[in-house]
Amino acid sequence: MIQIYDLRDRMDMLEDAVQFFWKQWGSESSFHFYRDCMEWSCKTDSDLPRFYISMDESKIMGSYALLRSDLSSRQDLIPWFACLYVEPEYRGQQLGKMLQDHAISQARDRGYQELHLCTDLVDYYEHNGWKRNGESYSLTGEMTRVYTFNVTS
């Protein structure tokens, strides 16, 4: 059975989770950034940042994070849905949608009215109810699409 956990509730999986997130989203120079961010997210009383893992018994199958910023020029938007990833062998089983729905629920429970993401994907998030909300620039200067989900509807 697939379970989604806040990393704070599965500190026994911290090392595996850091490796999982970093492998998908990091670079050689960013390992310590990911580790530090994830460790501190488990120590704070603040509602953000939060890292989530989906598991089937002891294997991480997918992930996402709720962040204050997704390193985007749109610093006026909060919170951000980031780091969605599903291992290839689990794709096609609606796990990505399950993780999105979980994030939307978490944002709603924390009192947010909207959730945002940036992506280069076309048609994936629209199928799950996200609305395009303009563009943003990354730290590297690349433009990316911004999407918003109204969590109160």
Side-chain angles (χ1 to χ4, degrees), residues 81-132:
F81 175 71
C83 303
L84 175 65
Y85 185 79
V86 174
E87 287 283 16
E89 63 264 32
Y90 298 105
R91 293 180 185 166
Q93 300 175 35
Q94 298 296 309
L95 183 54
K97 172 98 170 81
M98 185 186 309
L99 290 165
Q100 288 175 65
D101 290 345
H102 189 269
I104 290 162
S105 175
Q106 293 295 305
R108 182 182 308 115
D109 291 350
R110 287 170 170 74
Y112 294 102
Q113 296 189 11
E114 296 178 328
L115 187 58
H116 312 279
L117 67 84
C118 46
T119 186
D120 293 330
L121 294 177
V122 177
D123 292 332
Y124 178 72
Y125 291 102
E126 293 92 337
H127 288 293
N128 294 316
W130 295 79
K131 305 290 184 213
R132 185 143 179 212

Side-chain angles (χ1 to χ4, degrees), residues 4-113:
I4 301 173
Y5 298 99
D6 183 329
L7 188 55
R8 294 168 58 112
D9 299 328
R10 288 301 308 260
M11 291 299 292
D12 61 308
M13 294 298 295
L14 178 64
E15 294 303 322
D16 291 341
V18 169
Q19 288 292 328
F20 188 88
F21 276 82
W22 176 69
K23 178 180 158 193
Q24 306 317 318
W25 305 106
S27 64
E28 283 186 40
S29 62
S30 66
F31 178 79
H32 296 293
F33 172 86
Y34 277 86
R35 180 169 181 67
D36 200 46
C37 187
M38 292 172 77
E39 275 187 30
W40 282 105
S41 77
C42 294
K43 296 176 183 177
T44 183
D45 290 332
S46 177
D47 62 347
L48 299 173
R50 288 287 183 263
F51 291 84
Y52 298 86
I53 53 175
S54 61
M55 298 178 64
D56 186 4
E57 298 188 24
S58 62
K59 180 176 173 32
I60 298 176
M61 306 162 61
S63 66
Y64 80 88
L66 291 178
L67 306 173
R68 285 186 187 92
S69 169
D70 196 13
L71 304 177
S72 159
S73 62
R74 291 297 307 271
Q75 295 295 301
D76 57 308
L77 303 175
I78 189 171
W80 288 87
F81 175 71
C83 303
L84 175 65
Y85 185 79
V86 174
E87 287 283 16
E89 63 264 32
Y90 298 105
R91 293 180 185 166
Q93 300 175 35
Q94 298 296 309
L95 183 54
K97 172 98 170 81
M98 185 186 309
L99 290 165
Q100 288 175 65
D101 290 345
H102 189 269
I104 290 162
S105 175
Q106 293 295 305
R108 182 182 308 115
D109 291 350
R110 287 170 170 74
Y112 294 102
Q113 296 189 11

